[in-house]
Amino acid sequence: MQKSTKLPRQHVASARYMKRIGGVLTAAALTLAVGSAQATEWDMPTPYGDSNFHTVNIRQFADDVREATDGELDITVHSSGSLIKHPEIKNSVRRGLVPIGELIMSRLANEDPLFEVDSVPYLASDYDQAWKLWQASKGVLSERLKAQRLKLLFAVPWPPQGIYTQFEVKTGEELKGVKMRAYNKSSERLAELLGALPTQVEVPDIPTAFGTGRVDAMITSPSTGANTRAWDYLTNFNHAQLWLPKNMVIVNAKAFDSLPEETQKALEDAAKVAEKRGWEASKAETDAKIKIMRDNGIEVSEPSPELVKRLKKVGDTMTEEWLERAGESGQALIDAYNKQ
Ligand code: PCA
């Protein structure tokens, strides 16, 4: 009884976004759906491929939610930007076109520098530091999203970022003039400061970008390197461990509020479990994917002292630039992180 009083609102909301994303429900079918269906169906766009550990984790999250709610909340994951392209995911969730989605946090750097704190070189470049940074930044990032009627459900890091090339990187000098694939503001700026020529390319487009010669090097993790078969077009990976960028899952607050309370709780519980599972998977991913790259002939090396020096210098410049952009709230975040 208690549930049935809440059902109509919930179904009208879900029917509304289905209609908006181009569903073919007629008014009569809508009425029928509102009157008889039991499940709320959510479409969830994600940017990365099916074999990626983030996508695997999110599919498990959707299964967990389905199970915990007895099928009342049924999330369908649309991977690889197949429903909505990565650059559009955040606004699509904000506008209620879809109720839930995944994206890389630092993609929001243009609207607010706080979202790229996890991509400042060497600020947090191992899992312990990344976890501390997440604890220190979670509150303020959630608040900023809340102001846009978005709820931050959970976040999971990528393995540490390194440099892929078609030659050995000894000092960093070699990167001058190289067309470097980037995926956020930081990777772009890093490339620039190294004298390389950055180009933004989404993960699903990486093989084509190399195939057509648009790029000839990239900054990313062992995970994305292996997922995109880096050995088909690259020979070297430098495990520079620059930063650990995070993906986040966000929900439209109105869609969330329209769920029955017990479903909201099930979603939040599953999110906690997914965050923990995701961090563990990410850690395991680093060594596993480095091994796959080695097995496929990629030469994996640690950065030389000269390269570290060079990258740290670039890192210092980028830290200064970030602090300037992020202002007082940026400094407060760093202070909170240092206290952890
Ligand atoms: N893979 C994603 C983000 C960071 C990573 O490791 C990418 O390359 O776009």
Side-chain angles (χ1 to χ4, degrees):
M1 204 52 227
Q2 198 201 359
K3 261 185 204 164
S4 65
T5 54
K6 286 180 179 164
L7 270 175
R9 234 174 80 213
Q10 168 193 350
H11 285 284
V12 168
S14 100
R16 196 184 302 135
Y17 86 74
M18 280 172 70
K19 212 167 76 180
R20 275 201 240 153
I21 64 171
V24 287
L25 290 182
T26 61
L30 265 176
T31 317
L32 210 67
V34 169
S36 64
Q38 279 301 302
T40 296
E41 295 187 354
W42 278 9
D43 283 305
M44 176 171 191
T46 72
Y48 304 101
D50 283 324
S51 57
N52 183 254
F53 76 97
H54 286 287
T55 315
V56 171
N57 189 38
I58 282 174
R59 286 199 191 280
Q60 183 66 54
F61 161 73
D63 288 347
D64 291 351
V65 170
R66 203 175 299 112
E67 199 182 318
T69 62
D70 264 336
E72 285 224 358
L73 181 54
D74 187 2
I75 302 176
T76 304
V77 178
H78 301 268
S79 58
S80 292
S82 58
L83 182 64
I84 292 169
K85 298 260 172 263
H86 197 181
E88 300 304 323
I89 291 179
K90 186 242 165 180
N91 278 334
S92 300
V93 179
R94 191 172 60 77
R95 282 163 38 217
L97 218 53
V98 285
I100 187 168
E102 180 204 25
L103 67 147
I104 194 165
M105 245 181 212
S106 47
R107 189 161 255 297
L108 305 188
N110 280 334
E111 62 177 73
D112 187 335
L114 291 196
F115 286 100
E116 64 170 344
V117 68
D118 64 11
S119 302
V120 176
Y122 298 118
L123 178 64
S125 55
D126 65 32
Y127 281 95
D128 281 349
Q129 292 174 342
W131 178 253
K132 285 180 183 154
L133 183 61
W134 174 223
Q135 299 317 302
S137 55
K138 202 164 73 179
V140 59
L141 298 181
S142 298
E143 281 305 312
R144 303 245 160 150
L145 288 166
K146 199 172 163 197
Q148 300 189 43
R149 305 279 296 137
L150 289 167
K151 184 176 167 63
L152 175 49
L153 267 189
F154 65 91
V156 171
W158 289 90
Q161 305 295 295
I163 304 169
Y164 290 81
T165 47
Q166 292 160 341
F167 47 80
E168 192 188 346
V169 179
K170 290 184 186 138
T171 63
E173 274 299 302
E174 307 86 346
L175 294 167
K176 282 207 173 124
V178 166
K179 287 178 276 173
M180 177 94 85
R181 177 263 167 177
Y183 61 86
N184 66 3
K185 238 174 118 127
S186 295
S187 49
E188 200 175 296
R189 185 68 181 134
L190 184 98
E192 251 169 35
L193 289 169
L194 289 167
L197 309 165
T199 308
Q200 295 268 352
V201 178
E202 287 295 332
V203 171
D205 304 325
I206 287 178
T208 311
F210 278 99
T212 56
R214 242 180 96 207
V215 294
D216 37 36
M218 67 177 171
I219 297 176
T220 190
S221 57
S223 184
T224 296
N227 286 164
T228 57
R229 301 175 58 87
W231 47 87
D232 285 346
Y233 35 82
L234 293 156
T235 53
N236 293 68
F237 174 64
N238 195 293
H239 192 27
Q241 309 196 48
L242 293 154
W243 61 79
L244 287 78
K246 289 187 295 297
N247 284 0
M248 63 178 171
V249 171
I250 52 171
V251 187
N252 177 288
K254 207 166 153 196
F256 182 82
D257 292 344
S258 69
L259 295 171
E261 238 168 67
E262 58 273 38
T263 307
Q264 294 182 354
K265 173 143 189 340
L267 193 68
E268 286 181 313
D269 288 349
K272 263 187 218 133
V273 174
E275 179 163 294
K276 188 158 183 286
R277 187 177 55 224
W279 280 73
E280 291 306 320
S282 181
K283 277 182 212 166
E285 185 82 359
T286 311
D287 289 346
K289 291 302 192 282
I290 284 183
K291 180 173 183 315
I292 290 180
M293 287 203 291
R294 279 210 171 99
D295 290 349
N296 282 283
I298 294 263
E299 197 177 307
V300 179
S301 47
E302 295 297 320
S304 68
E306 293 94 321
L307 180 61
V308 171
K309 208 170 139 203
R310 184 87 201 267
L311 291 172
K312 293 240 154 146
K313 197 161 162 247
V314 165
D316 289 344
T317 306
M318 287 177 64
T319 307
E320 270 169 41
E321 289 175 351
W322 182 82
L323 276 169
E324 209 166 286
R325 277 202 308 281
E328 267 174 41
S329 30
Q331 190 56 56
L333 203 170
I334 300 297
D335 292 346
Y337 168 56
N338 287 334
K339 263 195 222 127
Q340 287 270 328

